Amino acid sequence: MGVFIWHQWAQIVGIFASVCTIWGGLWGIFFRKFFWDFVNGTLMPGPNHAINGRKCFDDNPCGIVPAKQDAIFISLIVKAPVIQLFVILFGITHLAIELLPVIRRMSIYRSFALRIVTYSLQTFLSVLLYQGTSGAMYSFVAVIGFTVAQMKGEIVEEAKEQRGRGDKA
Amino acid sequence: MGALQEWVKAELLTPRRLLFNVLWYPGHVAIFAYGWYSQDVNPGLKGLNTLRFSVWVSRGAGLVLAVDGFLILVPMLRNIIRLIRPKLTWLFPADENIWFHRQVAYSMAFWAMVHTTAHYVNFINVERRQIRPGNALDIHYRQPAGITGHAMLFIMVIMYSTAHHKVRQQCFEAFWYTHHLAFFFMIGLYTHAVGCFVRGTKEPGFTNTFPFYDPKICIGYLSWRALIWPGIIYFGERVWREIRARRETKLSKVLVHPSGAMEFRIVKPSFKYTAGQWLFFQCPEVSKFQWHPFTITSAPEDPYVSVHIRQVGDFTRALGERVGATPSVVASLTQAAMKAAEKDSKDAGGMTGRGDFVELDPAAATRPLPMIRIDGPYGAPAEDVFKSEVAVLVGAGIGVTPFASILKHIWYRQKRGRLGALRRVEFFWICRDAPSFGWFQSLLQEVEAAQMDPNFLRINLYLTQKLDQNTVWSIVVNDAGAEYDPLTLLRTRTMYGRPDWKSIYGNIRSAIESGQYLPGASSQLKTRVGTYFCGPPALAKTIREAAIEASSATVQFTFAKEHF
């Protein structure tokens, strides 16, 4: 039956995943939250409680207070939106690779190995963000798609040059 | 600028599309606004309303998604549409159901994005302010709304990505099978609100009886009560299609035409159809679950249902292999036919044909003919043809196939003298390369030869492909003085290049007005000239414009495009 071209499908999923990731990253700048903070973190039962020297008020909400060992993630996500910016950068780069006509003629457009690596990185960074889990999941689906494509030895066709067929009937 | 102008022309300057756009997008925004408003003013939801904009947006988008979730299945109720559509042709000029299905899907993708984004903000704020106990993660991944929501989004990613035209055209099966995830999507949609997120109280109000929540406490839209009906009807339709497909069906003959097309003649007494419709075809031995659409090429008067299948895709090739019409058989057949044609034309120089079709003999084959099933019919019946005095039938490219059935049907009715208002038929066939439709040519030959009234049916063939010099000279040499056209072997001469529709319609009009075209037609009455077109949309537009422009006080031109 019809041959399913894995990389063709993975590219579509990848575009979608990258859009989700960029969108999640943008919102992650405004609502900063480390997704895994529930691990070893403590949930403030409500306003006017204090844990680890932090106090929550109505005008200073806090929700889950993350564990001390997660400090590195807190500084990279909550204190400064570093991972958010990286995630957005990855998303934009992926969209450029998949969609820009200029890149279609370059060898990076034809490389699955590169995509497996970059989409994996996008998955890993994105899953750290509260808003990034969906994007991470779809990116991972794209990684699976590209991996199968690589294992099956699929080849990206070189972009056809736009040439008229001239006198050929 | 060109792209913008084209967009304006397609979306805003086409009246019917403009009407759709004006109703569709503002309609969605209005539903969104109502959902927003009803959440904002509901005194029972005071607690949720402290979340302000994010909850208003999520509820508004949720209502839009409920409406779209209802609409998405409606265009897929094929059997019901087939019954209703003839009564509503003014509203749906053609089988635009897939197009509408796609519009709903795009809309769902957009509003799902809005709804989900708003909920991400909702849940983080619920966690931070503890307006309800628990953290955001629980709402996302432990409560029914979150679980079904994320599952539906994931299903959407899979369904949308395999429905992309690139994947769908490359591997239809991937699209077809993954689209059945819609079943789980719909289950998710119906149960999305059972977690009782929309409530005024701190704790949800669950009960032990169906629907397992207390509608006094869980005051969502309760939209599943409406949403579930298209789902139930669709499910019923699929069951009904399965039952109908299992009714007695017999593949009586397989004919192989010299051009390589296989003609399947099927006998199924319970199958009733009209000319111009299509069916779904299944051969369980080739593929157990796949149904492929084919145009019906027999007339309802024929004692069998026939489809012409060319071996162009993987399914059709496998089918050809199964019935014994392997490429080598077809090739030898074609060669034999061409040799015969050459010999005959040398000997007799007259009507030769392209060699006859060959019936595959099931007794000679090692295996009997396979079991097949057909489901249908679907699509618009072409009975309207008999309501106009002059029917202009235009088939372009592969769009010519439904006219096989229609022309045969007209011929049968002509024999019985039951043509209705129909007095003349102008048939146009516009084709890039005619030889690939060899079977259609032989059918035209039969129809042409059977004409008693030379004025009733006029066949106009246009060959649009570029010809190389050798072919041109060959045509010039063979055409002069011969009774039959060298390319198509019809009495009708092939014309080369594209038809000039304005002058064609102009000629028809002036011929009718001068009274030559329809002798005896009284000039007081308005003559109706109906155009029935099947082919690419761009050509449809050109023809429609030419037809409508040609209308005058005494001659009315109408145009109908059919997606057979």
Side-chain angles (χ1 to χ4, degrees):
Chain A
M1 300 289 95
V3 183
F4 187 70
I5 301 180
W6 283 83
H7 76 262
Q8 192 184 44
W9 171 70
Q11 278 178 308
I12 296 166
V13 175
I15 290 167
F16 194 72
S18 302
V19 171
C20 288
T21 308
I22 294 171
W23 187 241
L26 278 176
W27 283 90
I29 294 174
F30 299 104
F31 293 89
R32 297 178 193 175
K33 180 170 163 60
F34 172 47
F35 178 76
W36 304 95
D37 60 4
F38 65 94
V39 183
N40 300 325
T42 324
L43 179 65
M44 286 285 195
N48 305 320
H49 282 77
I51 290 176
N52 292 345
R54 277 181 72 185
K55 219 173 169 206
C56 293
F57 301 102
D58 277 340
D59 55 342
N60 178 26
C62 51
I64 285 181
V65 179
K68 279 212 170 112
Q69 62 261 43
D70 293 339
I72 174 77
F73 294 113
I74 300 307
S75 44
L76 285 178
I77 293 169
V78 180
K79 287 187 183 146
V82 179
I83 292 187
Q84 283 91 323
L85 290 175
F86 267 102
V87 150
I88 292 170
L89 205 66
F90 264 103
I92 291 173
T93 312
H94 279 135
L95 287 187
I97 290 178
E98 307 293 11
L99 296 174
L100 278 191
V102 188
I103 294 182
R104 284 210 181 164
R105 286 194 288 276
M106 299 186 192
S107 59
I108 51 168
Y109 182 75
R110 298 191 295 273
S111 166
F112 299 144
L114 177 84
R115 281 195 181 77
I116 293 169
V117 171
T118 55
Y119 275 107
S120 297
L121 283 172
Q122 177 169 298
T123 307
F124 173 72
L125 287 182
S126 180
V127 85
L128 299 174
L129 302 177
Y130 165 70
Q131 291 90 346
T133 46
S134 291
M137 200 148 66
Y138 311 150
S139 303
F140 187 64
V141 173
V143 171
I144 294 173
F146 284 119
T147 311
V148 176
Q150 178 82 325
M151 289 196 307
K152 292 197 171 226
E154 285 178 11
I155 297 166
V156 182
E157 271 179 54
E158 293 220 24
K160 287 190 193 96
E161 297 217 7
Q162 295 286 329
R163 259 194 221 148
R165 276 192 287 175
D167 53 356
K168 269 185 259 171
Chain B
M1 197 56 204
L4 180 70
Q5 273 171 348
E6 258 172 44
W7 180 85
V8 168
K9 208 174 167 199
E11 300 289 335
L12 302 179
L13 299 181
T14 319
R16 213 175 265 124
R17 179 66 71 85
L18 179 68
L19 183 71
F20 173 82
N21 286 331
V22 166
L23 291 178
W24 184 249
Y25 298 104
H28 274 72
V29 173
I31 296 165
F32 174 74
Y34 174 74
W36 172 309
Y37 173 77
S38 69
Q39 165 73 29
D40 190 13
V41 298
N42 194 332
L45 295 172
K46 232 176 190 162
L48 276 186
N49 276 326
T50 57
L51 296 168
R52 296 175 60 77
F53 289 98
S54 59
V55 82
W56 299 331
V57 169
S58 71
R59 291 274 288 155
L63 189 60
V64 177
L65 284 170
V67 173
D68 280 350
F70 182 92
L71 289 177
I72 190 93
L73 280 181
V74 170
M76 293 295 110
L77 304 172
R78 291 183 187 277
N79 288 291
I80 288 174
I81 285 175
R82 189 175 60 85
L83 293 177
I84 292 174
R85 209 189 77 91
K87 294 172 186 75
L88 293 175
T89 33
W90 56 271
L91 188 61
F92 311 109
D95 288 346
E96 306 275 19
N97 55 342
I98 303 282
W99 179 83
F100 182 69
H101 181 74
R102 284 212 321 270
Q103 303 309 307
V104 181
Y106 298 145
S107 170
M108 275 177 100
F110 173 77
W111 291 104
M113 184 273 289
V114 174
H115 182 76
T116 312
T117 306
H119 269 321
Y120 266 89
V121 178
N122 282 338
F123 302 160
I124 198 172
N125 281 337
V126 167
E127 177 186 292
R128 283 180 178 176
R129 298 186 200 152
Q130 289 296 302
I131 56 174
R132 279 176 195 174
N135 60 19
L137 195 80
D138 287 339
I139 311 176
H140 271 299
Y141 297 106
R142 288 215 188 115
Q143 290 181 11
I147 296 170
T148 54
H150 282 287
M152 280 192 283
L153 287 175
F154 190 76
I155 290 173
M156 276 168 86
V157 173
I158 304 292
M159 278 170 75
Y160 283 55
S161 57
T162 50
H164 190 275
H165 67 95
K166 266 192 194 161
V167 177
R168 182 163 36 98
Q169 281 157 13
Q170 167 66 34
C171 176
F172 188 81
E173 296 82 1
F175 156 74
W176 175 246
Y177 292 135
T178 51
H179 239 64
H180 284 82
L181 287 170
F183 181 80
F184 299 101
F185 180 88
M186 286 297 158
I187 298 288
L189 191 61
Y190 304 145
T191 55
H192 191 52
V194 296
C196 196
F197 179 77
V198 182
R199 60 178 190 256
T201 55
K202 275 221 165 193
E203 296 299 325
F206 294 129
T207 59
N208 288 324
T209 51
F210 186 80
F212 306 110
Y213 62 82
D214 183 356
K216 284 196 198 81
I217 294 170
C218 307
I219 44 180
Y221 297 119
L222 307 177
S223 55
W224 66 270
R225 293 177 182 182
L227 286 184
I228 203 160
W229 294 109
I232 290 173
I233 297 170
Y234 182 77
F235 194 81
E237 264 212 10
R238 290 299 293 266
V239 173
W240 164 238
R241 273 165 68 177
E242 197 59 34
I243 294 170
R244 198 174 52 181
R246 278 167 199 270
R247 287 193 185 150
E248 193 196 339
T249 311
K250 201 176 144 258
L251 181 56
S252 71
K253 269 180 191 169
V254 177
L255 312 173
V256 181
H257 292 264
S259 56
M262 301 176 288
E263 179 183 349
F264 283 71
R265 290 192 175 167
I266 302 146
V267 178
K268 181 169 184 176
S270 62
F271 191 85
K272 300 274 177 280
Y273 63 100
T274 53
Q277 291 187 305
W278 55 274
L279 52 74
F280 276 117
F281 179 97
Q282 188 196 39
C283 181
E285 275 181 50
V286 174
S287 170
K288 231 175 143 101
F289 300 109
Q290 284 173 31
W291 291 91
H292 291 255
F294 291 102
T295 312
I296 301 171
T297 52
S298 56
E301 289 86 353
D302 283 325
Y304 53 82
V305 185
S306 76
V307 287
H308 281 72
I309 299 173
R310 289 170 63 214
Q311 296 189 30
V312 284
D314 48 355
F315 173 80
T316 48
R317 269 193 215 108
L319 189 67
E321 200 126 307
R322 172 61 190 84
V323 297
T326 50
S328 61
V329 171
V330 174
S332 65
L333 207 61
T334 314
Q335 267 169 4
M338 279 165 75
K339 261 188 203 145
E342 247 165 57
K343 214 171 110 197
D344 282 0
S345 59
K346 268 182 203 144
D347 295 349
M351 172 93 170
T352 57
R354 287 181 175 267
D356 265 332
F357 55 75
V358 171
E359 184 182 340
L360 288 175
D361 187 4
T366 43
R367 286 193 286 175
L369 286 177
M371 192 191 77
I372 56 138
R373 288 186 192 160
I374 52 176
D375 170 43
Y378 298 105
E383 289 296 314
D384 282 359
V385 171
F386 298 99
K387 285 187 196 143
S388 45
E389 282 86 22
V390 181
V392 181
L393 310 177
V394 187
I398 189 80
V400 80
T401 49
F403 292 111
S405 174
I406 295 170
L407 284 175
K408 267 198 211 170
H409 182 54
I410 290 175
W411 179 68
Y412 273 111
R413 292 197 42 168
Q414 189 190 11
K415 269 208 309 197
R416 285 183 292 156
R418 288 183 48 205
L419 278 173
L422 192 63
R423 305 279 302 278
R424 287 188 74 146
V425 177
E426 294 278 344
F427 176 64
F428 288 88
W429 181 15
I430 303 134
C431 193
R432 248 183 77 79
D433 61 330
S436 57
F437 293 100
W439 65 269
F440 193 79
Q441 284 173 28
S442 43
L443 182 135
L444 272 184
Q445 252 173 354
E446 285 169 35
V447 175
E448 191 184 47
Q451 284 304 312
M452 292 153 277
D453 175 5
N455 282 328
F456 178 70
L457 172 70
R458 206 151 68 186
I459 299 172
N460 309 276
L461 295 182
Y462 285 87
L463 202 63
T464 57
Q465 99 188 131
K466 277 190 196 166
L467 298 170
D468 60 62
Q469 274 210 327
N470 291 338
T471 319
V472 171
W473 282 113
S474 158
I475 291 167
V476 169
V477 169
N478 287 305
D479 201 17
E483 196 183 341
Y484 296 95
D485 186 87
L487 266 185
T488 59
L489 302 174
L490 290 170
R491 273 200 210 100
T492 311
R493 296 293 149 175
T494 305
M495 280 163 278
Y496 301 94
R498 291 183 180 168
D500 175 9
W501 294 106
K502 278 192 186 153
S503 72
I504 288 169
Y505 280 106
N507 288 344
I508 293 178
R509 186 189 60 195
S510 53
I512 293 172
E513 281 173 344
S514 66
Q516 301 162 340
Y517 195 70
L518 297 169
S522 69
S523 53
Q524 289 93 334
L525 289 173
K526 222 172 173 179
T527 310
R528 229 182 90 124
V529 181
T531 302
Y532 302 88
F533 173 81
C534 185
L539 187 54
K541 227 172 74 183
T542 322
I543 299 176
R544 180 208 293 275
E545 278 162 14
I548 286 163
E549 213 180 281
S551 286
S552 70
T554 49
V555 187
Q556 182 201 0
F557 286 88
T558 60
F559 179 87
K561 187 177 92 173
E562 300 289 358
H563 300 230
F564 288 108

